Each structure stands twice: as C-alpha cells, then as structure tokens.
Amino acid sequence: MEKLLNELSSQCKPAYSVKCDVEINAEIPENLKRKSNLGLPNVAENDLLRHFTNLSRRNYALSTVFYPLGSCTMKYNPLINERIAKIDAFNDIHPYQPVESMQGVLEIVYELEKDLCEIVGMDSFSLQQAAGAHGEFAGLLVIAKYFKSIKQKRTKIIVPDSAHGTNPASITFAGFEIVPLKSEADGSISLEKLKEVLIPEVAAMMLTVPNTLGVFEKNITEISKLVHDNGSLLYYDGANLNAVMGIVRPGDMGFDVMHINLHKTFSTPHGGGGPGSGPIGVKSFLGSFLPVPRIEKRKNKYVLNYRKSKSIGKMKAFFGNFSVILKAYVYVKALGGKGLKNVSKQAVLNANYMLAKFKDKINVPAGSRCMHEFVLSPKAILENDVRTLDVAKRLLDYGYYAPTVYFPLIVDEAIMIEPTETESKDTLDKFIDVVNKIILEEAIEDPQKLKNAPVNTPVTRLNEVEAARKPILKWQ
Ligand SMILES: *Cc1c(COP(=O)(O)O)cnc(C)c1O
C-alpha cells in the first residue's frame, strides 16, 4: 500500500498533491477549530434526496408551469442552450488568461455584437452590461459624454409615464433630470404634448416600443423628427423587442441608442432576478463612447482594445455575463433570420388570440389589438373589495404563476399578460378559462375565496407590508 501511495503521489502535479489530515490539522490556527461536536443528524441518503427534491418542487419554474408574466418575456429556454453554457471549455476559462488562448470566447462576443447590429439596425454594440437597467444607465452615460464632447449643456431626459420604473431611476442615476410626459390612455405619445416639453435642455427622450401596454407607437417617425429637430437623441428601451424582431428595426425608426434584454428576447431563464444581460447598441457617431475593452478583429485575431479615449469606461468586470451571452448566441444562430421573425409573429398572434377571448368581458384600456402583450383592467367588474392582487393570488391556487399586476401604473388594477410565442393553444385556452372563472364568477359569488387565496401553496397569504418593513432575515 505504501509503495502504491508513493507511486501515485509522485505522479501528482505539485498543485494537486494531497496532504494528510494530520498535516492540514496542524496548519489550522487553534482559535478557528471547532470545539463542539458537528452535530449532523444521521440521515439516510434517500431521505436527504427526497428532502431536496421536494424543496425544489415548491419552486415555480417554466419547466413546470405557464408564466404569463407581462413585460418579462418568460419564454421557452431551449435546454440545449443550458448544455452548451455548461461546456467545460467555456466554464474553465480564466478571464485573466492571455487573449490568444481564448479566441473562441472573443469570437462569440464579437459575432453576437454583429448579429445584434443587424437585428436592430445599429452600428456597434457593447455586451458588458448585466441587465436592462444597467444598459439604460450605460446608454445614458454615452449620451451625456456625447453632449459633453460637442460642448452642449443638456441636462434633461423626457420619459413617458407608461415607462418601466428603471427608466426614471437610470435617468437620475446618470445625473440627468426627469421630464415626465403624460401618455395617452393606450400608452402612446401625443405629438402636441411632446412639443410642449421639448425644450433646448433636453438631451434625449426614452421610449419603449411597443409600449408597456403592448401598443406600437404609430407616430414614431414624427416623434423621431421632432426630437432630432430639437438637437436631442432618441433612446429605445428594447425590453419589448420580442414583438418586432425581424419585422422592424429601432435603428430604422430613428433611434440613436438602445438596450436589449438578452434574458427576455434571446432566451435565458431569469425568474428570481438574474442572471441577465443588457447589451447597448448605438449609431456610428456614438461608437467611440462605448465601454472598454472593445473587441477588435486584426488579421484574423481577436484583440481587446482598451485605448479609447472617449469611452465611458468599464461597466462590468471582464466580458459581462458570458453564459447569458453564449445562450443568446446559440439562440440567434439556431433560429436564423427567418426563425427570429417567426418568434415575433407567433408572440403577437398568441397575445392577440388571448386578448380576443377577454375583450368582450373584461376592460382592455388599450383597445382590441395588441403586440406581444396586453393589459386588462377588471376594476369595473370587481366588487366586494376584491382587487387585482386577490385575482393574482387566486391564480396560484390553480397552479399558475401570476401575471404582472399594478403595472403599468397608468392603468387601474392592471393585469398584464404576455403569453410569448412558445405556449400552445391548449395552454392559453386553459389559462383563459381560469382567469374568466376567477374574475367573472368567483370574485362575485365567493369573494372571500379570493381574499383568502392562496391556500394550496406551501406558504399562504403573506403580510407584504410587514415583510417589507420588518423582514426577518435569520433562520431560527
Ligand atoms: C424588464 C424591463 C426593463 C428592465 O430590465 P432589467 O433587465 O430587469 O433590468 C426596462 N424596461 C422595460 C420595458 C422592461 O420590461
């Protein structure tokens, strides 16, 4: 045995040489050593396995339930993407490795930048940002630096009141002032109201197309002209790109800067807050302001260029969330141009199918047609103090993840539904029946049932106010 061990250890590389327990024990300082027994329970392997498997089943996941979460695009995430993202050749790379030894990784980032330019009609992309909000922040920093470079003092950004909350937050974070713009009932922009707020200090206007009520901005060409005639830039919040991919391009509509939420439009499951990726795209006159390093191709080799004097600097360590970038790359290459166009067509078809089934029964403030999502306002039907929140909680009892509620803020008792392209008619029909049953029958006949919901979940109704004000963050 001794001979064998000696032989084996002589084969080991120094970094992997095995130390015996006694040696390790001697190296640990006394004050760090455990004084009491570890006290682990004796658990049979089967019991342990069942414990963790049962816990994992308490999660809502796209692999088990329908996620009609408006504004979030919880679509099908091909398992092949996950498999590719787990390949050792990608995972074992160290970001400080010499660039010559990670040409493949750089090629993927470089290629995806090019593909995104083509898809949205921009000239350059940076894939560093970790989320949509992070992309907004980076895009606004680019805008700030641009105006500084041409020596214009512009301090304000226009944002419609139907925008996602991250828009005003990013504006403030980037050091600008918010100029709110009241949108019409369907979330669209009134040219007259826009003219009133387009003052010389306006650096840019942020716009979500289609907007958060699922309506395409019909005046986009006029808006673009008005904004540019004022010397301001136009920013595209690309979270809803899933509705228009392959059909229209923000770059062609007149947008100068934009972000894409890779985790919404190009797969990657992002429930629970991450990981995400918020690439920003710009027109050529803004390219030199993008974050460093820029990946450049020189004589068939990819290099990292940090020497960009006008750059806003670094937004995130290394290459951003590479696994999300990789999954988006696989998704884009696998579907191709035609496939991506079909994604949008099917997403819009699915949403309109659902909307058509609801519109005669439940109020839809934005009208009877939509893009990839729509918003119900059941206020007129709900009585007995029943609210949208109760409808959402009751949906959990039926095994559904609840849709987005109380957003956008401009709709009373909003329920925002986005089916995505990857759900079957059967799934949509079942969900429509359940929503109708809850709002049109249960809410009226047995309101207490909704007030008590959910009752079938591991935890029942939480006191959300108290949970936010006095969170108990300790176990036991
Ligand atoms: C999701 C979303 C954002 C923010 O994106 P995150 O990746 O969550 O930071 C911004 N705008 C709209 C319209 C969104 O739906």
Side-chain angles (χ1 to χ4, degrees):
M1 186 57 80
E2 206 166 285
K3 224 172 160 191
L4 178 67
L5 281 175
N6 281 340
E7 189 58 36
L8 282 177
S9 58
S10 71
Q11 301 286 323
C12 284
K13 290 180 197 142
Y16 295 105
S17 76
V18 184
K19 286 184 176 176
C20 74
D21 273 3
V22 181
E23 272 179 87
I24 295 170
N25 211 12
E27 283 174 13
I28 299 174
E30 273 313 307
N31 63 338
L32 295 180
K33 282 186 192 164
R34 178 180 294 281
K35 302 278 181 306
S36 58
N37 194 317
L38 193 54
L40 283 177
N42 268 325
V43 184
E45 186 180 330
N46 268 347
D47 290 340
L48 190 73
L49 186 66
R50 285 172 199 150
H51 173 71
F52 284 114
T53 304
N54 284 327
L55 279 185
S56 75
R57 282 195 194 154
R58 290 183 173 190
N59 278 333
Y60 276 92
L62 202 57
S63 48
T64 48
V65 291
F66 175 42
Y67 258 77
L69 205 57
S71 207
C72 285
T73 314
M74 289 284 188
K75 60 163 76 194
Y76 156 68
N77 294 292
L79 289 182
I80 181 93
N81 286 8
E82 302 302 319
R83 288 225 326 251
I84 290 172
K86 273 194 207 135
I87 292 175
D88 289 347
F90 293 119
N91 278 314
D92 291 348
I93 283 179
H94 194 283
Y96 281 134
Q97 241 170 259
V99 271
E100 300 79 53
S101 68
M102 49 177 168
Q103 288 288 304
V105 167
L106 298 186
E107 182 175 348
I108 284 169
V109 180
Y110 185 87
E111 281 262 319
L112 187 61
E113 284 181 10
K114 290 267 165 299
D115 289 347
L116 294 180
C117 283
E118 172 69 25
I119 292 167
V120 298
M122 291 286 164
D123 298 315
S124 325
F125 254 93
S126 157
L127 271 48
Q128 240 178 59
Q129 295 67 231
H134 202 196
E136 291 168 21
F137 178 52
L140 290 165
L141 291 183
V142 165
I143 292 172
K145 228 160 174 196
Y146 164 71
F147 282 114
K148 207 171 165 199
S149 78
I150 58 167
K151 302 198 168 49
Q152 281 189 21
K153 195 166 160 50
R154 290 181 181 251
T155 52
K156 297 180 195 305
I157 307 271
I158 299 176
V159 65
D161 57 2
S162 61
H164 193 274
T166 51
N167 288 192
S170 301
I171 293 170
T172 311
F173 214 51
F176 287 104
E177 278 164 55
I178 301 165
V179 180
L181 177 61
K182 198 168 159 32
S183 50
E184 303 304 286
D186 64 355
S188 66
I189 303 301
S190 139
L191 294 175
E192 291 316 307
K193 285 183 191 149
L194 174 59
K195 281 178 198 158
E196 282 166 27
V197 291
L198 257 181
I199 48 177
E201 293 81 46
V202 169
M205 175 178 186
M206 290 182 93
L207 213 51
T208 309
V209 184
N211 64 33
T212 56
L213 276 92
V215 177
F216 190 85
E217 185 54 69
K218 57 182 184 300
N219 292 325
I220 186 60
T221 323
E222 289 84 349
I223 292 172
S224 169
K225 186 165 185 326
L226 283 175
V227 169
H228 289 118
D229 284 351
N230 192 52
S232 318
L233 302 183
L234 201 53
Y235 182 100
Y236 183 88
D237 177 330
N240 292 342
L241 192 68
N242 212 48
V244 295
M245 201 171 33
I247 296 163
V248 287
R249 307 195 306 171
D252 300 337
M253 294 180 217
F255 287 92
D256 307 288
V257 189
M258 69 174 293
H259 79 262
I260 293 178
N261 304 58
L262 288 187
H263 50 287
K264 292 180 182 174
T265 314
F266 299 98
S267 84
T268 286
H270 62 288
S277 176
I280 58 168
V282 295
K283 288 280 174 65
S284 57
F285 72 100
L286 296 171
S288 54
F289 300 99
L290 286 176
V292 281
R294 300 291 300 147
I295 298 176
E296 291 171 6
K297 197 173 177 180
R298 288 187 203 149
K299 292 193 197 127
N300 283 330
K301 268 200 167 168
Y302 296 95
V303 294
L304 296 176
N305 186 351
Y306 284 88
R307 281 200 252 167
K308 296 273 174 187
S309 59
K310 288 186 185 167
S311 165
I312 58 167
K314 219 163 177 354
M315 290 304 295
K316 194 177 186 310
F318 310 115
F319 310 117
N321 278 337
F322 180 71
S323 70
V324 183
I325 292 171
L326 179 57
K327 284 180 240 184
Y329 173 86
V330 176
Y331 187 81
V332 168
K333 295 292 184 197
L335 287 175
K338 263 196 194 140
L340 293 177
K341 185 173 179 166
N342 273 340
V343 163
S344 290
K345 282 178 156 180
Q346 192 66 38
V348 172
L349 180 62
N350 277 0
N352 277 288
Y353 174 75
M354 287 185 105
L355 175 56
K357 296 270 181 178
F358 283 125
K359 71 173 191 230
D360 296 332
K361 303 178 185 129
I362 303 170
N363 178 31
V364 186
S368 54
R369 289 291 290 273
C370 65
M371 296 295 288
H372 66 309
E373 65 188 356
F374 59 93
V375 182
L376 301 176
S377 177
K379 193 173 184 212
I381 311 166
L382 296 177
E383 32 186 280
N384 301 315
D385 207 24
V386 173
R387 302 200 54 201
T388 276
L389 181 70
D390 306 311
V391 175
K393 297 288 183 196
R394 183 69 182 138
L395 273 166
L396 305 181
D397 279 339
Y398 284 96
Y400 287 105
Y401 194 89
T404 302
V405 290
Y406 299 111
F407 178 78
L409 303 176
I410 57 171
V411 174
D412 271 336
E413 300 294 314
I415 300 181
M416 185 187 209
I417 298 174
E418 177 178 1
T420 79
E421 70 282 4
T422 43
E423 297 296 341
S424 66
K425 180 171 174 297
D426 192 40
T427 299
L428 304 187
D429 283 336
K430 285 187 180 133
F431 181 73
I432 293 164
D433 287 347
V434 169
V435 172
N436 278 333
K437 186 171 172 205
I438 294 173
I439 296 179
L440 304 172
E441 293 171 27
E442 291 185 350
I444 293 150
E445 288 156 19
D446 193 356
Q448 201 52 42
K449 201 177 228 166
L450 269 67
K451 289 265 145 212
N452 294 344
V455 291
N456 297 335
T457 47
V459 236
T460 52
R461 183 79 68 111
L462 301 172
N463 183 338
E464 288 175 19
V465 178
E466 196 167 318
R469 299 257 161 86
K470 292 188 208 154
I472 299 168
L473 303 173
K474 237 170 59 190
W475 179 62
Q476 283 192 342

